[in-house]
Amino acid sequence: MNTSKPLRVGILVARGQRLQNWELMILDRILAAPRLELAAVFTHPAPFCDTKPSNLLRWGARLEAKAFARQPAYAPKQFDSRHHFIERYDAAGDATHAIDDISADTLRRLKVDLVIRTVPKGLSGDAIAALPFGEWAFNFSDQRSANVDWFGYAEVLAHDPTADLILYAKCGNRNEKSEITRASFNIKPSAARLGAFVRERSVTLVMRELTRIADTRQLPSTALVDPSERQMPSLGDLLRYGSIVASSISIRAYRSIRAKLRADSALWTLYTGQGEISDFDPSKATEIPPSSSSIKADPFLFQHENECYLFYEAYARGDRKAHIAVGHFNGDLVQPVGVALERPYHLSYPYIFRDGDQIFMIPETHQARRLEVWRCWQFPLKWELYATAFEGQSPADSVLIQHDGKWWLFTNLSDFHAYEDHCSELYLFEVDGPALTGIRPHKHNPVVIGSTVARGAGRIFARGGRLLRPSQRNANGIYGYGLNIMEIETLSHSEYRERCIRTITPSFKSGLLGCHHFDETGGRYVLDARLTI
C-alpha cells in the first residue's frame, strides 16, 4: 500500500462542448480531495460516434429534459477552465492534434495514474497501457452523442425495476472492459430524469472508488462488462416510449390534483407476529390497520418494565408532516399512549435504544437539516434534546450501535446538487456514543451505494455472532417496494462489506404496494406495508 503520494487523475471531455453538471462536480471534488490531484483535463476533438440521432429523438429528449430533468447550473468552487484544461498534448504539439496524439509519453510526462473518460471515444491502446490504473468510464458515457443522451430509454421501455450504473476500466492494450463497481437505482418514469439522477449519483460513486485506489493502489478484481452497447432508440422505440411517458404524465397530474386537495398521503399499515429477524414469516402476521386519522409507519419496538411499546411515525390523511406517537401492545392490539415527540418539521423513523440506564431516540429530522438525539426523562412521553450533529446536512434513518467496544453511526446522507435522495447512499461513522461529540467518517464513505440496498429499514441486530441490517429495496418506481435483510460481514474504520441474505416483497399479503421497515424484540416482530389504495 502506497499512501505517500496522491493519485493523479486525468479527465477526458468533449472539445468545444459546455461541461455538464456531473463533469464539473467530479472536477471540483478531485481538486478538493487531499489524496487526489487533477493531472490534466484533455479535450477530445471527435468524441462521438458517426451515427446521428433522429430529429424525433433530439426534439423529444430536449423537451423531456425541460419537463422532467431541469436542474440549476452547477457553480464550481475549485475548478477553473482557464487554468486546468490541457489543449496541447505534448511539448511540441498544438490543439489541432488528433486524439491519438495523447501519447503514452505525454501521459508518463504528466505522471497520470488514470484517465476518466466522459465521452464515447477514448484513448488509444498504447496510451491506456501507459496508465497504471487504465482508462475509466461509466456505462452512460457510451450512450451519448453531441446533442442527446439515450441512457435510460431501454430501461424504461423494458419496464425494468431498476437501472444499473456501471463504472468500468480498460487496462493495457486489451479492449476488454473490467467492472470496477456498480450500483442499481430505482427506475424513473422518464429517461431524461433517470439519466440526470444517475449521473449525479455517479459523482459520489467515482469519488469513493478514486479514494479507494489512492489508498490501496490496486484495482479490484472483477468480472468483465458485457461488450454490447445500448443502441439509440429506433422510431418504433420512440413511439412506444412516448406512450409510456404520456401515461406517466397523466398519473403525475392526477397525483398533483390530489395533493392540492390534501388527499394524497401515503397509506401504510402495520403487521405483527411472533418471530425474529432470522425466521419471521410475514404471511402469518396479524394486521394493525390504519384509520384516516391514525396512519402508522416506521415502527420500532421497545421493552420497558415488562411491557412491549410501539413507537411510530403518525399522521392523518392529508397531513404534510408527521409526529412520533407511542402505544403499547395488548396481545396483537396496540393501545394508544400519546404523542412522544412533535416538532414544527416532519418526524419519522423513531429509532429508540438504551445506553446503560438511559433511553435515547434518534428520529428522522432531515427537514431540520441536522441529526437530533433525544433523551427520555419520563418514559414514554417526556423527551429532551440531548445532542445534534451534521448541521446543514440532510441525514435520514439513522441507527447507532455498539460493536466490538466501539460506537457506530449508520445514516443515509443525501449528497446532492439537484436531486435530494435518501435512498441511495449509506454513510458510516465511528462515534463516541449518543453525545456525538467525536465523529470519525469511514475511509470509504458512502459504504453502500444503490437504492436497492442502501437505505436503512430499522435497527441493526446482533444475532448469534452475526450483524443483521434491514434495508429498503426501492425498485419498480416505488419508494419502499421491498425489504432486505443484509448480513454485515466486515465492519471496521477502513473496510465495510455486507451481503443480502433475504428479500421480502409485498406479495406476502394481498392488496399491498410495498413494505419498507422491520423491527423485533422479545420474540415479537413488526413491519409496515404500503397499501395500494
Side-chain angles (χ1 to χ4, degrees), residues 42 86-90 93-95 106 109:
F42 301 105
I86 301 289
E87 289 286 359
R88 298 189 176 183
Y89 305 135
D90 55 41
D94 58 41
T106 300
R109 177 172 54 81

Side-chain angles (χ1 to χ4, degrees), residues 413-426:
L413 285 170
S414 181
D415 181 9
F416 71 101
H417 166 65
Y419 303 110
E420 184 174 19
D421 172 72
H422 295 100
C423 297
S424 301
E425 297 168 7
L426 176 67

Side-chain angles (χ1 to χ4, degrees), residues 292-358:
S292 60
S293 61
S294 179
I295 300 171
K296 303 174 181 66
D298 289 357
F300 281 94
L301 300 173
F302 192 74
Q303 293 279 353
H304 185 74
E305 296 181 351
N306 298 319
E307 283 203 66
C308 183
Y309 288 82
L310 177 73
F311 287 76
Y312 55 93
E313 170 191 356
Y315 57 97
R317 197 73 185 263
D319 282 353
R320 286 292 176 267
K321 71 179 184 71
H323 59 272
I324 305 303
V326 59
H328 68 80
F329 277 94
N330 181 5
D332 287 336
L333 299 177
V334 174
Q335 297 179 336
V337 174
V339 175
L341 191 63
E342 188 165 18
R343 304 294 288 162
Y345 38 85
H346 176 79
L347 299 176
S348 61
Y349 204 85
Y351 171 58
I352 181 170
F353 64 100
R354 277 191 174 90
D355 179 25
D357 59 357
Q358 298 190 90

Side-chain angles (χ1 to χ4, degrees), residues 381-393:
L381 300 180
K382 303 296 183 181
W383 299 80
E384 61 184 359
L385 186 61
Y386 178 72
T388 62
F390 303 103
E391 297 285 347
Q393 299 186 58

Side-chain angles (χ1 to χ4, degrees), residues 368-382:
R369 286 295 186 262
R370 67 181 186 181
L371 184 147
E372 297 179 353
V373 181
W374 292 77
R375 180 169 58 183
C376 187
W377 58 272
Q378 184 178 327
F379 189 85
L381 300 180
K382 303 296 183 181

Side-chain angles (χ1 to χ4, degrees), residues 280 282 473 481-485 502-506 508 515 527:
F280 74 97
R473 182 173 184 81
Y481 169 73
L483 180 70
N484 307 304
I485 307 300
R502 185 182 179 188
T503 296
I504 298 94
T505 65
F508 69 86
C515 55
L527 72 158

